[in-house]
Every structure is written in structure tokens, then in C-alpha cells.
Amino acid sequence: MPIRFSPAISRSGPLFRCFASNATKRNVPRAQPQPQPKPKLNEPSPQKLEASNQYPKEPWYRVHIRIIGKFAGFSLILHVVSTYGYSINLTGGISMLPTVAAQEEWVLLSKYHRRGRDIEVGDVVSYYNPLVVGQMVMKRVIGMPGDFVLRDTPGRSDVMVQVPEGHFWSAGDNQAFSRDSRIYGPIPLALIRGKVIASGFPSGGWKWIVNTLKEPEEFRA
Amino acid sequence: MWSHVSRTPKYIYNIALGVSILLYTNKNIFITSPITGASMAPTLSPHHHTTGSYDLVFFTRLFPGYSARKGEIVSFWTPHEPEKMSVKRIIAKAGDTVIVGRDGKRRGGNGVLGGIEGEGAVNYFKRGDRVSVPAGHVWVEGDNTENSVDSCDYGPISLGLVTGRAKYIVWPTYRIGSIKTGVMSKTKVIPGVSEMPAEYFDERNQFTR
């Protein structure tokens, strides 16, 4: 005689109803198998129809288009943020050597300061080379409109020039190996891409780039 | 796609996407903008100084610095006012020598290359001066030479300032049409070849960026 465990709850109760099989429902007659209709020509079988209901109804390439579209949208937003907000750029070259390394150092640009907005003497800015279309240069601002600056390398000559309206004078921190305003003169402020606010490496070592130029104590009063 | 992941409502993404598409298109693909002022008078906005009517002009903004050619009308950030854009015609390219056609009222300008020399001297371009256009620069002038602030005042401008090229007039309807290119001014230009400063070449005479 098979061992029968009596259930603690009634078999007809609401909790047990979900487990009830046809065998427990004694009074209910077993469901008779319905006669399957013969598959017609040019019509998907019911199994195929059921399988197709488990997936999105759109064709597979539409899914690809949606994913690519979302990706394009996010990259467009990212591009606009990096154009008008902040961007991270790779630098190279020895002209800013004590401040920024010659290779593989990255800088954070604040694009609010594009076109010379709120730029002061002593800031490190990134601008387009006036002589080479599309080349980006990073240098320190030495003079703003109206200031008098030394035209050549210190020690070579004493010629002072006045920075014209709407221009600035740039100089690299590594004066011996820097191509700056000594070569191409004052630069239009409209060429400025942004102000460099931080620099570092992918491995770490990020630091803020501060305006090292300080007001002389005796003039502060 | 990420609606089940992030808590930000979807309309924020949609607004950001719309604004981004607008900004990107107007900065990098095309823009239509009104031309005010009398400096391009016979070609663009001919009656602005009398009736105040102006033309809406379609500007291409695809790679403007690389594709700007002599004779084309370009828009650029003015060198003396960084937040102001101006529309002028390219008269000479880099390397050419320009014989300045009128006396300039100095409005800034490229000192070492263009105008000033000596101790803080402020030189004005005089009629008949010979100015050689440095590498990466162009000489721009308005078609209405007497009423324009152009390279005669601030010297050659860098191609990095150029933001677009005028292609078509789209408004008013009776002026719809493409804009003709070609040098109109009487300014004499001696063609030449542009040269980068010697500091840009290494000891093997090869160009270094």
C-alpha cells in the first residue's frame, strides 16, 4: 500500500488550487485532446505562431537600428557637452614641461572660457594655432588686451609691444622649446578653445592647474 | 533602452537630444542667419542702410577653415571683438601680397606679422602698403569697401576664426539664389606661396607640428 501524506491544508482550498492536477480533481472529467486541425498550405503552424509571440514583433534589423540610434543620440549629447561644457584631451609636446608632461598627459578643459571669456593673465589656455588650421596648442596667457609685453625671448631684446584689442599674448612654460606668440604675434581671443583646469594621467596623479601669477604684495594695499 | 535602469524621465533625454541636434547642426553643418550692416552692400542686404531690410543667408559650416577659397564670402569671429561675427569676402590667401586699397582705422590686428613694429608703435595700414599674408591667414574685405571694417583695419585674419561659407540667399523670396563667388574689389593682389616660420622646421628641414 503506498504511503499517502495527508496534506495539512485542504486540497480544495485557494492555496492548493494552483498545484491541483487533473488527477486530484476526481469529479472533473479529463480534458479530451482536441483534434488538431490540419496545417494548411502557406500558413504558419500553431507552434510557430506561439514561438513568434515570445519575441518582439518588430523584425531583427529594427532592433539594431534602435540600438544604433540610441548610441548615436548619446554620443551626440556627449559631443555637445564636450563642446560647450567640459572636455578631456590628450596632450603632447615639451613646450609646457614643468606644468604638463611631454607625453601621455591628459587635461581637463573648461569650455565656458572659449573665445577668451573670463580669461586672466597667468591662465593656461588651449587655442587653435593661427598659422596651422585645426592644430590645437596649449600655452600660458602672458598679456591681455592693452598690456605691454616683451616681444622676444627674455635677454635677446628689450622691444615691448602692446597687445591689441581683442588679442592675447601666449608663452610656453618651457621658453627654450616653445613656439608661441614670439613667432606668430598676438593671437585673437576668439581662437581660444577653453581654459585648462586640471591635468593628469590615466593611471592617476591628477592635479588642479592654478594661476601661479600672484599680485605683488606691495601693490595690494 | 535604459528606461528600466535610470530614474531620469525619458523626456529629459529627449529634450537633451533635441537641443544637441540643434546645436550640432548649427555649429557644424549649416546655419541661416540675417546679414545686417552695409559692408557687403551690393551682394548681401543691399538696402539695409536705407530701408532696414536684410537677407537671410545660408552658411555651410562643414570644415570652414579647410575649404574656404579665394573669392568666397565667409563668416568669422572678428579679431578685435571675440564674441562678434562678421561676414566678408576673401580677397587673398596665405602667401599673397596685398596692396592695401584704403587707409585703415586700426582695430586690433596681428602685430608682428601685420602691422606694429618697434617700441609699442601703433601703425595703421596706409593706402598703398604692401602686406604679405602669413601662413594660415586670409585677407578679407567687404564688397562695400568704404563702409566696412575689414582686413584694412585689423590685418589678415587666421583661418581658425572662419566659421562658415555663405552659399545661398534664402530670404526675401525675390532674392532667392546662390551667391556668386569671385573677387570683386579693386585691391591689387600679388600671388605668392605661403611659408611657415623657420621654427616649424627641424634640422632636416622637415615640418614638425
Side-chain angles (χ1 to χ4, degrees), chain A residues 115 129-130 135 160 164 166 179, chain B residues 27 79 83 109 120 158 200 208-209:
Chain A
R115 274 175 261 127
N129 189 339
Q135 189 193 355
M160 304 286 283
R179 294 177 291 209
Chain B
K27 186 171 186 297
E83 298 285 345
S158 170
Y200 277 89
T208 53
R209 278 180 76 87

Side-chain angles (χ1 to χ4, degrees), chain B residues 39 101-103 105 127 142-150:
Chain B
S39 68
R102 66 174 172 87
D103 292 346
K105 309 168 284 293
R127 185 191 168 94
D143 287 353
N144 189 5
T145 322
E146 298 306 317
N147 287 324
S148 88
V149 179
D150 51 28

Side-chain angles (χ1 to χ4, degrees), chain B residues 106-182:
Chain B
R106 189 180 152 69
R107 302 290 297 266
N110 205 324
V112 173
L113 298 161
I116 4 173
E117 286 207 356
E119 290 211 23
V122 178
N123 287 355
Y124 297 81
F125 286 124
K126 296 268 168 42
R127 185 191 168 94
D129 276 359
R130 285 177 173 236
V131 182
S132 74
V133 184
H137 284 61
V138 284
W139 186 273
V140 290
E141 275 181 21
D143 287 353
N144 189 5
T145 322
E146 298 306 317
N147 287 324
S148 88
V149 179
D150 51 28
S151 278
C152 298
D153 305 305
Y154 43 67
I157 63 156
S158 170
L159 276 171
L161 297 170
V162 175
T163 55
R165 296 178 291 139
K167 280 286 187 185
Y168 312 104
I169 295 174
V170 295
W171 196 260
T173 44
Y174 61 87
R175 284 181 54 78
I176 286 178
S178 61
I179 294 169
K180 283 178 190 164
T181 58

Side-chain angles (χ1 to χ4, degrees), chain B residues 6-20:
Chain B
S6 76
R7 299 265 171 173
T8 46
K10 198 165 186 187
Y11 68 86
I12 288 184
Y13 168 79
N14 285 340
I15 288 170
L17 185 63
V19 170
S20 300

